[in-house]
Every structure is written in structure tokens, then in C-alpha cells.
Amino acid sequence: MDRQTLIQAAIKVLPDSYVPYSHFHVAAALLCKDKSVYTGINIENAAYSPTICAERSAFVRAVNDGHREFEAIVICGGKEGVLSDYCPPCGVCRQVMREFCNPETFRVILAKSVEEYQEFTLKELLPLGFGPENLG
């Protein structure tokens, strides 16, 4: 799957975000090793801590369906759902990615549009990540 198609998948679900407090919409599209795609949106909660980010939302859906191997994720977002800048993942989301993804090869794509994006490896965004092998 090409980057533009994955970016379009994230942008398509951006309006579905539930953000009555911050009004900051975030969407993600997660590419599994078998080339299936799972999207996620941020879902806010009045108590704040139960809020879930778009990235984790996508991972939860994919893992629930039995997926454990992933290639890339696109993340996009903006105030009132308007894409205006890059939207990097929070620390908690980076750690969830680290649980399931090879930090050397997993790609994190931050998109402002289909044409304008930045791409990183997970290791670049989480250089000293704690993973399952640390518990072995």
C-alpha cells in the first residue's frame, strides 16, 4: 500500500473524532503486515484520563482482530478538524507502538495532507524504548 492511500484512510475518518472538550481531532491509519488497514480516532472523556488517542484506538481494533505485526501508521490532526501542522504521537502511544512494532523498521508518518508528510522510524521517535525483550 502506498503512503498516499494510507494517508487518505486517516484523513477520511478525522471528522469522526469525539472531541467535545479540546476540539482537536486526531485520526490514525495503521498498516498491518498482511496489508489490512485499521483506522482510529481520538475519543475524549470528561474525566480526561479515560480519553484514548487515535493511535491506540487503531492498535486496539487491530489487536482485537488478532493482528500482531505492523508496518506503518499515519497520524493526522488539527483544531476543529483542520489539518494545519504535523501531529506527532504522545509518549503513551509511542510506548504502545513499541510493544508491537520493531523500532528499526516500523514507520510513523505524520501528515498535513496527502502530498505533505514527514516519515520517521519508531526508533527515531522513541530512541531508548522499553520493549518486551527487556523483561526476558
Side-chain angles (χ1 to χ4, degrees):
M1 172 173 289
D2 65 38
R3 286 169 187 79
Q4 284 72 25
T5 303
L6 198 58
I7 292 168
Q8 287 172 339
I11 292 171
K12 181 179 178 183
V13 298
L14 188 63
D16 297 335
S17 295
Y18 177 74
V19 291
Y21 310 107
S22 73
H23 304 282
F24 195 93
H25 296 248
V26 181
L30 178 62
L31 178 63
C32 301
K33 186 176 183 178
D34 71 356
K35 305 303 180 204
S36 58
V37 175
Y38 284 81
T39 57
I41 55 168
N42 57 328
I43 303 168
E44 293 181 345
N45 187 287
Y48 293 115
S49 62
T51 294
I52 186 167
C53 298
E55 302 92 309
R56 286 183 283 143
S57 176
F59 269 93
V60 166
R61 291 180 70 205
V63 171
N64 186 66
D65 281 353
H67 295 278
R68 300 291 187 276
E69 296 182 69
F70 306 98
E71 293 185 2
I73 192 167
V74 167
I75 307 161
C76 63
K79 194 75 167 176
E80 304 299 341
V82 177
L83 300 177
S84 59
D85 202 357
Y86 297 111
C87 187
C90 73
V92 173
C93 288
R94 292 175 200 209
Q95 186 60 45
V96 168
M97 291 176 202
R98 179 64 180 88
E99 180 68 21
F100 294 100
C101 305
N102 180 334
E104 303 281 344
T105 60
F106 185 72
R107 294 170 292 125
V108 180
I109 302 164
L110 311 179
K112 285 195 215 181
S113 71
V114 173
E115 300 84 22
E116 195 172 3
Y117 59 87
Q118 294 180 346
E119 186 170 327
F120 304 90
T121 64
L122 179 56
K123 185 172 183 170
E124 290 176 298
L125 298 180
L126 190 65
L128 296 173
F130 186 86
E133 68 281 356
N134 294 106
L135 297 175

